[in-house]
Amino acid sequence: DAKTTQPPSMDCAEGRAANLPCNHSTISGNEYVYWYRQIHSQGPQYIIHGLKNNETNEMASLIITEDRKSSTLILPHATLRDTAVYYCIVRVAQSNTGKLIFGQGTTLQVKP
Amino acid sequence: EAGVAQSPRYKIIEKRQSVAFWCNPISGHATLYWYQQILGQGPKLLIQFQNNGVVDDSQLPKDRFSAERLKGVDSTLKIQPAKLEDSAVYLCASSRAREKLFFGSGTQLSVL
């Protein structure tokens, strides 16, 4: 599985969009980009995933560059409850193992 | 839909003692994972089951850690004997084959 690089921390003002970047320059053609987040004292929570095209769901949007070497998770209107560690993971979704390999993630602090 | 259940929520033991953690995955989820999360780090996969068979245990310290999933549903993770460096949160996750993972809240282990 390819490795990812994320900034260790970011701040965002409440109500503004939070844009979390992720570099995955060694991603393979069959690897998806997954985002999970972990709120304090809880287990990680799935947010969104994508292969090539941009994706949007009720939680966030995922923008993947055309060369697939980087992506951005967008929380359109951040709230205090979005304060968490955000993990960007690349994974072969159709593999038999399907395991997630977590890095250090980005700690997002949403401020009033 | 009920989530992944784990118990106990907290456990404090002395080094060289033994400890066991229990996990009940989401109904119908064939794949079960145990992760170890040391403070300040991302979760690290210890073992992955597909039904009651082991798919990946390459990161499990087999001299002291063991895990089983006898009937393909519940799972237990055991440490015997515990060391100080085993202090961590132990997370259980489950998924349908090749789909997103759902995590429990974890068991926080302190080894004194």
Side-chain angles (χ1 to χ4, degrees), chain A residues 36 38 41 93 97 99-100, chain B residues 9 35 37 48 56 98 101:
Chain A
Y36 281 72
Q38 188 172 23
S41 297
T97 60
K99 61 186 178 184
L100 294 182
Chain B
R9 187 74 175 90
Y35 283 83
Q37 186 170 25
Q48 177 184 343
D56 186 343
R98 306 169 187 172
L101 275 65

Side-chain angles (χ1 to χ4, degrees), chain B residues 30-47:
Chain B
T31 311
L32 185 146
Y33 312 75
W34 283 102
Y35 283 83
Q36 179 194 58
Q37 186 170 25
I38 292 172
L39 187 64
Q41 300 181 16
K44 180 182 106 175
L45 179 68
L46 292 176
I47 189 167

Side-chain angles (χ1 to χ4, degrees), chain A residues 34 36 38 41-46 49 87 91 93-104, chain B residues 9 31 33 35 37 40-43 45 48 50 55-56 58 91 98-105:
Chain A
Y34 280 75
Y36 281 72
Q38 188 172 23
S41 297
Q42 297 182 22
Q45 175 194 24
Y46 167 83
H49 75 284
Y87 295 100
R91 167 191 180 215
Q94 300 305 312
S95 73
N96 290 330
T97 60
K99 61 186 178 184
L100 294 182
I101 299 175
F102 289 82
Q104 298 283 69
Chain B
R9 187 74 175 90
T31 311
Y33 312 75
Y35 283 83
Q37 186 170 25
Q41 300 181 16
L45 179 68
Q48 177 184 343
Q50 182 72 21
V55 173
D56 186 343
S58 58
L91 294 160
R98 306 169 187 172
E99 293 187 4
K100 61 188 179 186
L101 275 65
F102 293 83
F103 285 81
S105 295

Side-chain angles (χ1 to χ4, degrees), chain A residues 16-71:
Chain A
R16 304 297 293 271
N19 297 282
L20 292 90
C22 179
N23 286 321
H24 31 79
S25 58
T26 60
I27 192 169
S28 300
N30 62 347
E31 287 183 315
Y32 287 68
V33 179
Y34 280 75
W35 284 84
Y36 281 72
R37 74 179 182 184
Q38 188 172 23
I39 295 170
H40 183 63
S41 297
Q42 297 182 22
Q45 175 194 24
Y46 167 83
I47 301 173
I48 198 168
H49 75 284
L51 181 64
K52 294 181 182 178
N53 301 320
N54 299 337
E55 302 287 345
T56 295
N57 63 20
E58 65 279 4
M59 291 183 68
S61 294
L62 174 60
I63 308 298
I64 303 174
T65 58
E66 192 170 343
D67 64 7
R68 303 206 328 119
K69 293 185 177 181
S70 65
S71 60

Side-chain angles (χ1 to χ4, degrees), chain B residues 16-29:
Chain B
R16 290 188 289 274
Q17 286 187 324
S18 63
V19 64
F21 314 123
W22 174 81
C23 173
N24 185 20
I26 294 173
S27 177
H29 283 193

